[in-house]
């Protein structure tokens, strides 16, 4: 499976996408905060649910570190609303239906499953510093335990 071409130290590509309520969210709006930007394949699937619920559970800890969590998939705003309600999520999910953002972060790749090839999201997380630079990249993420791994890395980088 392909990896992203972006790496730590680079400027994070800007983003401006609608959340589940239709409100645009951009990196520019979050300047001065740490941003956990995680890309996941699909709402209401097992791995994606685990990841979103773990980020929701740790949200207060991320907020203590001055970090904002953004989950991105190609699902619609309606799908995100249902996912948030069904799983009682407390994080912001952004809708990237045309995959433009996923392409700019280089996480939209050819995947293979059961002998079938298709384009899809490679589960990847970016930690973006308050100046808008990529501080850390996690590729081919395993959903379970990932949110805690990101939180620990954020604390390490900040020296807490």
């Amino acid at each position: 499976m392909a990896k992203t071409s972006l790496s730590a130290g680079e400027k994070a590509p800007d983003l401006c996408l609608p959340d589940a309520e239709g409100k645009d969210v951009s990196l520019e709006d979050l300047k001065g905060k740490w941003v956990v930007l995680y890309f996941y394949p699909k709402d209401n699937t097992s791995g994606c649910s685990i990841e979103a619920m773990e980020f929701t559970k740790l949200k207060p800890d991320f907020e203590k570190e001055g970090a904002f969590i953004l989950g991105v998939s190609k699902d619609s705003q309606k799908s995100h609303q249902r996912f948030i309600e069904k799983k009682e999520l407390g994080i912001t999910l952004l809708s990237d239906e045309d995959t433009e953002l996923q392409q700019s972060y280089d996480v939209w790749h050819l995947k293979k499953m059961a002998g079938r090839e298709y384009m899809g999201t490679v589960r990847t997380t970016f930690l973006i510093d308050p100046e808008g630079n990529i501080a850390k990249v996690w590729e081919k993420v395993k959903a379970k335990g990932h949110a805690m791994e990101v939180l620990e890395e954020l604390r390490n980088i900040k020296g807490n």
Side-chain angles (χ1 to χ4, degrees), residues 27-42:
L27 270 187
E28 196 54 44
D29 298 337
L30 300 170
K31 266 264 196 285
K33 286 186 187 291
W34 286 87
V35 176
V36 175
L37 178 64
Y38 81 94
F39 293 91
Y40 66 97
K42 190 150 183 48

Side-chain angles (χ1 to χ4, degrees), residues 14-19 23-35 68 70 92 94 130 132:
D14 198 17
L15 67 92
C16 186
L17 289 173
D19 66 11
K23 184 175 149 280
D24 281 346
V25 176
S26 74
L27 270 187
E28 196 54 44
D29 298 337
L30 300 170
K31 266 264 196 285
K33 286 186 187 291
W34 286 87
V35 176
F68 195 81
L70 296 173
T92 301
L94 302 179

Side-chain angles (χ1 to χ4, degrees), residues 23-151:
K23 184 175 149 280
D24 281 346
V25 176
S26 74
L27 270 187
E28 196 54 44
D29 298 337
L30 300 170
K31 266 264 196 285
K33 286 186 187 291
W34 286 87
V35 176
V36 175
L37 178 64
Y38 81 94
F39 293 91
Y40 66 97
K42 190 150 183 48
D43 289 347
N44 281 307
T45 55
S46 60
C48 299
S49 295
I50 288 167
E51 192 174 21
M53 289 171 4
E54 287 185 2
F55 272 119
T56 293
K57 187 175 164 204
L58 293 172
K59 184 181 175 189
D61 299 286
F62 278 101
E63 287 174 343
K64 270 187 218 137
E65 300 299 331
F68 195 81
I69 302 163
L70 296 173
V72 179
S73 78
K74 71 183 284 317
D75 295 296
S76 68
Q77 291 172 31
K78 276 255 181 290
S79 175
H80 283 342
Q81 286 171 347
R82 287 192 300 270
F83 187 31
I84 289 166
E85 285 166 22
K86 185 176 176 186
K87 300 295 180 183
E88 297 179 7
L89 303 177
I91 56 175
T92 301
L93 299 180
L94 302 179
S95 184
D96 184 27
E97 290 185 81
D98 63 6
T99 71
E100 198 175 304
L101 186 68
Q102 293 175 74
Q103 290 177 55
S104 69
Y105 275 83
D106 197 17
V107 299
W108 184 250
H109 291 280
L110 186 65
K111 294 170 103 175
K112 291 180 177 141
M113 193 185 338
R116 208 177 114 242
E117 287 191 340
Y118 61 97
M119 292 302 288
T121 307
V122 176
R123 194 183 302 274
T124 309
T125 301
F126 296 86
L127 180 60
I128 301 169
D129 72 18
E131 285 76 53
N133 298 308
I134 298 170
K136 171 92 176 167
V137 181
W138 288 265
E139 298 179 297
K140 298 179 188 168
V141 167
K142 300 278 178 267
K144 190 153 181 53
H146 179 59
M148 181 52 85
E149 190 185 340
V150 174
L151 181 60

